[in-house]
Amino acid sequence: MSGTIIRVESPLAEEAVESLRAGDVVRISGVIYTARDAAHKRIVEALDAGQAPPFELAGQIVYYVGPTPARPGEVIGSAGPTTSYRMDSYTPRLLEAGLKGMIGKGNRSPAAVEAMKRFRAVYFAAVGGAGALISKRIKSSEIIAYEDLGAEAVRRLVVEDFPAIVANDILGGDIFEAGRKKYQRL
Amino acid sequence: MRKIEFQTIVDAAKELCARSASDLPADMERALAAARAREISPAGAEILDALLENARVARDEKRPICQDTGVAVFFIEKGAEAVVAGGTLTDAVNEGVRRGYEEAFLRKSIVRGPLDRVNTKDNTPAVIHLEEVPGDRISIRFMAKGGGCENMSRLAMLTPADGREGVIRFVVGAVDAAGANPCPPIVVGVGMGGTFEVAALLAKKSLFREIGSPNPDSALDSLEREILERINDLGIGPQGMGGAATALAVHVLSHPCHIASLPVAVNIECHAHRSAEVVL
């Protein structure tokens, strides 16, 4: 995994999404949006009601995170990824609406992986439990929707060299499946 | 009777919440470093390096190790000769949690109901397990339990015929099914025996034991070693991306049980182990 590091700009260009492969080590820079369980529920409800989501989904990356409160003078508190499978039931709907990338931790359901192939999107895994370290790559943070949800509000983040690994790609590649197969002793 | 002031308990609970959020216990840090030295997967080794660096940054800069600062779980042993003056122990602990989570800038992760999902905004109520013991001291053990690993808990009511092999299969199966989700490397807490609820409680309680310390019961110690080896043969590895370090330790607590029953509970703790203890 050491060696080549791929720089990725967000929002994601179509060519970037197509060229990324499971196992690629990336550094993401640009604008990303936070959303976890409660925000996903509201975004999907908005889409189903024909209303605009809190941000234009096309090409964007959503980061599954609920940060700790920022101390005075700081941009954000600790901000590592939360477990992604809880968002799986909402994922196909968001990808259909144009979302191109997700950052979280842990594996996805077969239906979510299939939706990534169908709608051409990627899933990046960040290191779970490294929230103090990851927060240093976040340069600005602003709540843009659902403020009443507290830690679960939707935030617009500007990130610089956010470290992640491509976990699922548009061809169905899966780092969890591949990694495990390589190291299991049966 | 020895009197302990309400405020003393409030301050102690507050301090435990605040301190443990950014200060990874030495036993976990040692276990991560040892796992790093043994890790055969290059990606796994890099992840373990990141976790060790994260622990240093968190401690030096007093930042939470993980953004999930958890549900506040307390195991309290209250001496029969100790009395709390000015209120109940439960109220004092909840007040400490309220202040600790606010003043240390920790995340408030508790909703008032599992279905209406309205955040209580102060991380209360805490989960408090109270036991009466001889003496005049109050010992308070605290753990901030993250949702990701807690969600991977499992419980089974096995039969006596399932025996030792049945227990091993169930525990290894629970970790297998959890895969990448509970943030491996993990510590696997196992409660065996008792009743339905006792097994679950013991599984959580076992997570307080020092990582790397042997089980004082030699039969349970050998059971722990066998389960650990079989878990690490799964290849799940750091963050589930493949490797040797899936679990750092297995801790088993056992209890007498009914002639018909063999309850087994698995409670998983992630590497971001936030735990501390105080004796008053």
Side-chain angles (χ1 to χ4, degrees):
Chain A
M1 135 169 188
S2 40
T4 322
I5 289 176
I6 300 169
R7 302 205 174 266
V8 172
E9 293 291 323
S10 182
L12 288 164
E14 193 68 39
E15 310 81 71
V17 174
E18 283 174 12
S19 66
L20 291 170
R21 292 292 172 267
D24 285 351
V25 178
V26 299
R27 297 288 180 268
I28 302 165
S29 297
V31 173
I32 62 176
Y33 293 91
T34 74
R36 41 172 293 152
D37 312 62
H40 271 75
K41 185 165 185 277
R42 288 196 192 175
I43 292 170
V44 166
E45 280 166 2
L47 290 172
D48 287 347
Q51 295 159 356
F55 57 94
E56 179 54 54
L57 292 168
Q60 299 297 345
I61 295 178
V62 161
Y63 180 22
Y64 304 147
V65 60
T68 58
R71 287 171 191 269
E74 287 187 348
V75 169
I76 198 165
S78 288
T82 193
T83 323
S84 305
Y85 78 91
R86 297 194 315 272
M87 270 50 80
D88 282 347
S89 59
Y90 304 111
T91 293
R93 188 76 182 87
L94 267 62
L95 298 187
E96 193 185 355
L99 187 75
K100 283 292 163 192
M102 298 154 282
I103 307 172
K105 70 170 177 84
N107 33 284
R108 312 303 301 264
S109 70
V113 172
E114 200 45 47
M116 285 182 237
K117 284 163 70 180
R118 181 166 169 217
F119 298 112
R120 309 175 81 73
V122 284
Y123 167 51
F124 303 97
V127 177
L133 212 52
I134 291 172
S135 68
K136 293 179 176 293
R137 308 298 177 94
I138 299 171
K139 301 303 167 186
S140 79
S141 165
E142 177 200 354
I143 293 181
I144 60 157
Y146 313 150
E147 189 158 12
D148 61 298
L149 294 178
E152 294 202 70
V154 172
R155 290 171 167 79
R156 180 183 188 272
L157 306 181
V158 174
V159 297
E160 220 174 87
D161 290 333
F162 184 105
I165 296 174
V166 178
N168 293 100
D169 59 34
I170 59 163
L171 301 179
D174 186 323
I175 191 162
F176 302 108
E177 217 176 81
R180 199 172 160 156
K181 229 171 247 167
K182 190 166 169 187
Y183 292 101
Q184 70 191 356
R185 293 182 298 238
L186 290 175
Chain B
M1 294 300 265
R2 177 168 163 260
K3 243 176 41 174
I4 298 175
E5 293 300 325
F6 185 85
Q7 192 58 41
T8 306
I9 309 280
V10 173
D11 291 343
K14 181 181 111 174
E15 207 265 336
L16 289 172
C17 296
R19 171 160 54 99
S20 66
S22 59
D23 192 5
L24 192 72
D27 58 340
M28 177 54 88
E29 205 165 348
R30 275 197 304 272
L32 285 173
R36 167 63 183 90
R38 284 194 309 266
E39 185 52 64
I40 47 175
S41 146
E46 282 194 30
I47 289 165
L48 293 168
D49 280 338
L51 296 180
L52 288 162
E53 194 190 343
N54 186 67
R56 282 190 294 272
V57 167
R59 187 175 293 125
D60 291 351
E61 302 180 11
K62 294 219 170 355
R63 284 169 186 265
I65 295 162
C66 175
Q67 73 292 335
D68 183 357
T69 47
V71 53
V73 178
F74 291 86
F75 279 80
I76 302 178
E77 289 179 355
K78 183 183 161 296
E81 307 295 318
V83 63
V84 178
T88 69
L89 194 48
T90 302
D91 286 348
V93 167
N94 276 312
E95 183 56 23
V97 168
R98 207 169 277 131
R99 293 198 197 166
Y101 274 71
E102 187 56 34
E103 291 170 24
F105 295 88
L106 308 185
R107 196 179 81 184
K108 289 79 180 176
S109 311
I110 305 301
V111 291
R112 70 179 182 193
L115 296 181
D116 75 10
R117 317 283 320 165
V118 177
N119 199 301
T120 63
K121 302 251 163 94
D122 61 7
N123 221 57
T124 68
V127 171
I128 302 168
H129 303 292
L130 188 56
E131 207 179 317
E132 198 179 43
V133 295
D136 62 0
R137 318 283 285 186
I138 296 180
S139 130
I140 307 177
R141 288 191 292 177
F142 167 74
M143 182 180 294
K145 193 68 170 62
C149 54
E150 186 74 0
N151 280 350
M152 297 297 118
S153 304
R154 293 287 180 274
L155 191 144
M157 302 304 283
L158 301 182
T159 65
D162 290 323
R164 189 176 186 272
E165 182 55 30
V167 168
I168 294 173
R169 255 193 233 146
F170 176 70
V171 177
V172 175
V175 174
D176 192 358
N181 291 327
C183 267
I186 54 176
V187 174
V188 182
V190 179
M192 192 169 64
T195 48
F196 180 78
E197 79 282 10
V198 166
L201 192 63
L202 291 177
K204 168 104 353 93
K205 198 174 184 180
S206 76
L207 298 175
F208 285 94
R209 195 176 104 208
E210 187 185 336
I211 301 163
S213 66
N215 193 310
D217 178 312
S218 67
L220 294 181
D221 194 63
S222 108
L223 178 65
E224 289 178 356
R225 286 169 197 278
E226 190 170 340
I227 295 174
L228 181 63
E229 197 180 318
R230 281 169 61 172
I231 286 172
N232 286 331
D233 282 347
L234 294 171
I236 295 169
Q239 293 294 306
M241 293 186 190
T246 301
L248 302 167
V250 175
H251 292 172
V252 180
L253 278 174
S254 90
H255 199 77
C257 61
H258 192 279
I259 49 172
S261 302
L262 175 38
V264 189
V266 176
N267 192 217
I268 296 176
E269 171 70 332
C270 62
H271 59 76
H273 178 53
R274 277 73 48 85
S275 183
E277 182 179 357
V278 68
V279 180
L280 301 172

